[in-house]
Short mmCIF file of all heavy atoms in Angstrom, two decimals:
data_model
loop_
_atom_site.label_atom_id
_atom_site.label_comp_id
_atom_site.label_asym_id
_atom_site.label_seq_id
_atom_site.Cartn_x
_atom_site.Cartn_y
_atom_site.Cartn_z
N HIS A 1 2.38 -34.03 -6.83
CA HIS A 1 1.11 -34.80 -6.93
C HIS A 1 1.12 -35.98 -5.97
O HIS A 1 0.47 -37.00 -6.24
CB HIS A 1 0.87 -35.28 -8.38
CG HIS A 1 0.53 -34.12 -9.28
ND1 HIS A 1 0.49 -34.29 -10.65
CD2 HIS A 1 0.25 -32.81 -9.04
CE1 HIS A 1 0.20 -33.09 -11.20
NE2 HIS A 1 0.02 -32.20 -10.23
N GLN A 2 1.79 -35.82 -4.82
CA GLN A 2 1.75 -36.80 -3.78
C GLN A 2 0.79 -36.29 -2.68
O GLN A 2 0.80 -35.13 -2.35
CB GLN A 2 3.13 -37.03 -3.17
CG GLN A 2 4.13 -37.62 -4.17
CD GLN A 2 3.75 -39.01 -4.61
OE1 GLN A 2 3.27 -39.84 -3.79
NE2 GLN A 2 3.97 -39.32 -5.89
N LEU A 3 -0.05 -37.24 -2.17
CA LEU A 3 -1.04 -36.84 -1.16
C LEU A 3 -0.35 -36.43 0.13
O LEU A 3 0.52 -37.16 0.67
CB LEU A 3 -1.99 -38.00 -0.94
CG LEU A 3 -3.20 -37.68 0.02
CD1 LEU A 3 -4.08 -36.62 -0.62
CD2 LEU A 3 -3.96 -38.94 0.30
N LYS A 4 -0.78 -35.26 0.67
CA LYS A 4 -0.21 -34.79 1.92
C LYS A 4 -1.35 -34.38 2.84
O LYS A 4 -2.45 -34.02 2.37
CB LYS A 4 0.72 -33.56 1.70
CG LYS A 4 1.95 -33.92 0.89
CD LYS A 4 2.87 -32.72 0.75
CE LYS A 4 4.13 -33.09 -0.05
NZ LYS A 4 5.06 -31.94 -0.13
N THR A 5 -1.10 -34.44 4.16
CA THR A 5 -2.10 -34.11 5.16
C THR A 5 -1.48 -33.14 6.16
O THR A 5 -0.34 -33.34 6.58
CB THR A 5 -2.65 -35.35 5.89
OG1 THR A 5 -3.16 -36.27 4.92
CG2 THR A 5 -3.75 -34.94 6.84
N ILE A 6 -2.24 -32.12 6.51
CA ILE A 6 -1.79 -31.14 7.49
C ILE A 6 -2.92 -30.89 8.49
O ILE A 6 -4.07 -30.98 8.16
CB ILE A 6 -1.38 -29.82 6.78
CG1 ILE A 6 -0.68 -28.85 7.74
CG2 ILE A 6 -2.54 -29.16 6.09
CD1 ILE A 6 -0.12 -27.63 7.07
N ALA A 7 -2.54 -30.64 9.77
CA ALA A 7 -3.54 -30.51 10.86
C ALA A 7 -3.31 -29.20 11.56
O ALA A 7 -2.18 -28.61 11.52
CB ALA A 7 -3.45 -31.67 11.79
N THR A 8 -4.37 -28.71 12.24
CA THR A 8 -4.28 -27.52 13.05
C THR A 8 -4.27 -27.90 14.53
O THR A 8 -5.00 -28.79 14.94
CB THR A 8 -5.50 -26.59 12.81
OG1 THR A 8 -6.68 -27.33 13.15
CG2 THR A 8 -5.56 -26.19 11.38
N THR A 9 -3.45 -27.26 15.29
CA THR A 9 -3.39 -27.48 16.72
C THR A 9 -3.38 -26.16 17.44
O THR A 9 -2.81 -25.16 16.98
CB THR A 9 -2.11 -28.25 17.09
OG1 THR A 9 -0.97 -27.54 16.65
CG2 THR A 9 -2.11 -29.64 16.49
N THR A 10 -4.04 -26.10 18.61
CA THR A 10 -4.12 -24.87 19.42
C THR A 10 -3.99 -25.25 20.88
O THR A 10 -4.37 -26.33 21.29
CB THR A 10 -5.48 -24.16 19.20
OG1 THR A 10 -6.53 -25.07 19.55
CG2 THR A 10 -5.59 -23.69 17.78
N PRO A 11 -3.46 -24.35 21.70
CA PRO A 11 -3.43 -24.61 23.14
C PRO A 11 -4.81 -24.56 23.75
O PRO A 11 -5.72 -23.93 23.20
CB PRO A 11 -2.54 -23.47 23.68
CG PRO A 11 -2.64 -22.36 22.67
CD PRO A 11 -2.86 -23.08 21.34
N PRO A 12 -5.06 -25.17 24.90
CA PRO A 12 -6.36 -25.13 25.50
C PRO A 12 -6.74 -23.73 26.03
O PRO A 12 -5.85 -22.94 26.28
CB PRO A 12 -6.24 -26.12 26.68
CG PRO A 12 -4.80 -26.20 26.98
CD PRO A 12 -4.10 -25.99 25.66
N LEU A 13 -8.02 -23.50 26.13
CA LEU A 13 -8.52 -22.21 26.56
C LEU A 13 -9.18 -22.39 27.92
O LEU A 13 -10.08 -23.22 28.11
CB LEU A 13 -9.54 -21.64 25.56
CG LEU A 13 -10.21 -20.34 25.93
CD1 LEU A 13 -9.18 -19.19 25.96
CD2 LEU A 13 -11.33 -20.01 24.94
N GLU A 14 -8.77 -21.55 28.93
CA GLU A 14 -9.34 -21.67 30.25
C GLU A 14 -10.36 -20.55 30.43
O GLU A 14 -10.05 -19.33 30.30
CB GLU A 14 -8.24 -21.52 31.31
CG GLU A 14 -8.73 -21.69 32.75
CD GLU A 14 -7.62 -21.57 33.76
OE1 GLU A 14 -6.47 -21.47 33.33
OE2 GLU A 14 -7.92 -21.60 34.98
N VAL A 15 -11.61 -20.91 30.69
CA VAL A 15 -12.71 -19.97 30.90
C VAL A 15 -12.98 -19.84 32.38
O VAL A 15 -13.24 -20.82 33.04
CB VAL A 15 -13.95 -20.45 30.14
CG1 VAL A 15 -15.12 -19.44 30.33
CG2 VAL A 15 -13.67 -20.58 28.65
N MET A 16 -12.95 -18.60 32.91
CA MET A 16 -13.20 -18.35 34.32
C MET A 16 -14.69 -18.03 34.53
O MET A 16 -15.47 -18.00 33.58
CB MET A 16 -12.37 -17.15 34.79
CG MET A 16 -10.91 -17.20 34.31
SD MET A 16 -10.04 -18.66 34.92
CE MET A 16 -9.90 -18.24 36.66
N ASN A 17 -15.08 -17.82 35.78
CA ASN A 17 -16.48 -17.45 36.10
C ASN A 17 -16.78 -16.09 35.52
O ASN A 17 -15.89 -15.31 35.22
CB ASN A 17 -16.67 -17.46 37.61
CG ASN A 17 -16.68 -18.87 38.19
OD1 ASN A 17 -17.21 -19.76 37.59
ND2 ASN A 17 -16.04 -19.03 39.35
N ARG A 18 -18.09 -15.83 35.40
CA ARG A 18 -18.54 -14.55 34.91
C ARG A 18 -18.08 -13.42 35.84
O ARG A 18 -18.13 -13.61 37.07
CB ARG A 18 -20.07 -14.50 34.78
CG ARG A 18 -20.64 -15.43 33.75
CD ARG A 18 -22.13 -15.38 33.77
NE ARG A 18 -22.71 -16.32 32.81
CZ ARG A 18 -23.03 -16.04 31.54
NH1 ARG A 18 -22.82 -14.81 31.13
NH2 ARG A 18 -23.51 -16.95 30.74
N PRO A 19 -17.69 -12.29 35.35
CA PRO A 19 -17.30 -11.18 36.24
C PRO A 19 -18.50 -10.65 36.97
O PRO A 19 -19.60 -10.52 36.38
CB PRO A 19 -16.70 -10.12 35.25
CG PRO A 19 -17.31 -10.48 33.93
CD PRO A 19 -17.48 -11.95 33.91
N VAL A 20 -18.32 -10.34 38.30
CA VAL A 20 -19.43 -9.88 39.11
C VAL A 20 -19.28 -8.34 39.17
O VAL A 20 -18.26 -7.80 39.56
CB VAL A 20 -19.36 -10.46 40.53
CG1 VAL A 20 -20.51 -9.90 41.38
CG2 VAL A 20 -19.44 -11.97 40.46
N PHE A 21 -20.40 -7.68 38.83
CA PHE A 21 -20.42 -6.21 38.83
C PHE A 21 -21.13 -5.73 40.10
O PHE A 21 -22.29 -6.05 40.35
CB PHE A 21 -21.14 -5.67 37.60
CG PHE A 21 -20.52 -6.07 36.30
CD1 PHE A 21 -20.96 -7.17 35.61
CD2 PHE A 21 -19.41 -5.35 35.81
CE1 PHE A 21 -20.37 -7.51 34.40
CE2 PHE A 21 -18.86 -5.70 34.64
CZ PHE A 21 -19.29 -6.82 33.90
N THR A 22 -20.42 -5.02 41.00
CA THR A 22 -20.94 -4.55 42.28
C THR A 22 -20.96 -3.05 42.30
O THR A 22 -20.30 -2.39 41.49
CB THR A 22 -20.10 -5.07 43.43
OG1 THR A 22 -18.74 -4.59 43.26
CG2 THR A 22 -20.11 -6.58 43.48
N GLN A 23 -21.74 -2.49 43.27
CA GLN A 23 -21.80 -1.08 43.47
C GLN A 23 -20.50 -0.57 44.06
O GLN A 23 -19.84 -1.25 44.85
CB GLN A 23 -22.94 -0.67 44.42
CG GLN A 23 -24.32 -1.02 43.87
CD GLN A 23 -24.67 -0.19 42.63
OE1 GLN A 23 -24.14 0.93 42.48
NE2 GLN A 23 -25.51 -0.73 41.78
N PRO A 24 -20.07 0.66 43.69
CA PRO A 24 -18.80 1.17 44.24
C PRO A 24 -18.93 1.42 45.76
O PRO A 24 -20.02 1.67 46.28
CB PRO A 24 -18.61 2.47 43.48
CG PRO A 24 -19.95 2.83 42.99
CD PRO A 24 -20.68 1.53 42.72
N ASP A 25 -17.81 1.37 46.44
CA ASP A 25 -17.77 1.59 47.92
C ASP A 25 -18.09 3.05 48.23
O ASP A 25 -17.97 3.95 47.41
CB ASP A 25 -16.42 1.21 48.49
CG ASP A 25 -16.14 -0.28 48.27
OD1 ASP A 25 -17.13 -1.04 48.17
OD2 ASP A 25 -14.93 -0.63 48.17
N ALA A 26 -18.50 3.28 49.50
CA ALA A 26 -18.81 4.65 49.92
C ALA A 26 -17.55 5.49 49.96
O ALA A 26 -17.56 6.69 49.71
CB ALA A 26 -19.47 4.63 51.31
N VAL A 27 -16.40 4.89 50.36
CA VAL A 27 -15.18 5.64 50.41
C VAL A 27 -14.60 5.75 49.00
O VAL A 27 -14.38 4.74 48.33
CB VAL A 27 -14.13 4.93 51.33
CG1 VAL A 27 -12.80 5.69 51.39
CG2 VAL A 27 -14.70 4.72 52.71
N PRO A 28 -14.41 6.98 48.54
CA PRO A 28 -13.89 7.12 47.17
C PRO A 28 -12.48 6.62 47.03
O PRO A 28 -11.68 6.71 47.97
CB PRO A 28 -13.98 8.63 46.94
CG PRO A 28 -13.90 9.24 48.31
CD PRO A 28 -14.60 8.27 49.22
N SER A 29 -12.21 6.07 45.91
CA SER A 29 -10.86 5.58 45.62
C SER A 29 -9.90 6.72 45.39
O SER A 29 -10.32 7.84 45.11
CB SER A 29 -10.90 4.67 44.36
OG SER A 29 -11.31 5.42 43.27
N PRO A 30 -8.59 6.47 45.52
CA PRO A 30 -7.64 7.58 45.30
C PRO A 30 -7.76 8.19 43.90
O PRO A 30 -7.58 9.38 43.72
CB PRO A 30 -6.27 6.86 45.50
CG PRO A 30 -6.57 5.71 46.37
CD PRO A 30 -7.94 5.23 46.00
N ILE A 31 -8.08 7.34 42.90
CA ILE A 31 -8.16 7.88 41.51
C ILE A 31 -9.37 8.83 41.44
O ILE A 31 -9.30 9.93 40.88
CB ILE A 31 -8.28 6.75 40.52
CG1 ILE A 31 -7.02 5.87 40.57
CG2 ILE A 31 -8.56 7.26 39.13
CD1 ILE A 31 -7.08 4.66 39.67
#
């Protein structure tokens, strides 16, 4: 019955630019 305090911690989150969707090249890929 003693008062206790607990906290949450998290590492920072790095957000990159939006992914750019382009048309496929004329030369087919090996796959």
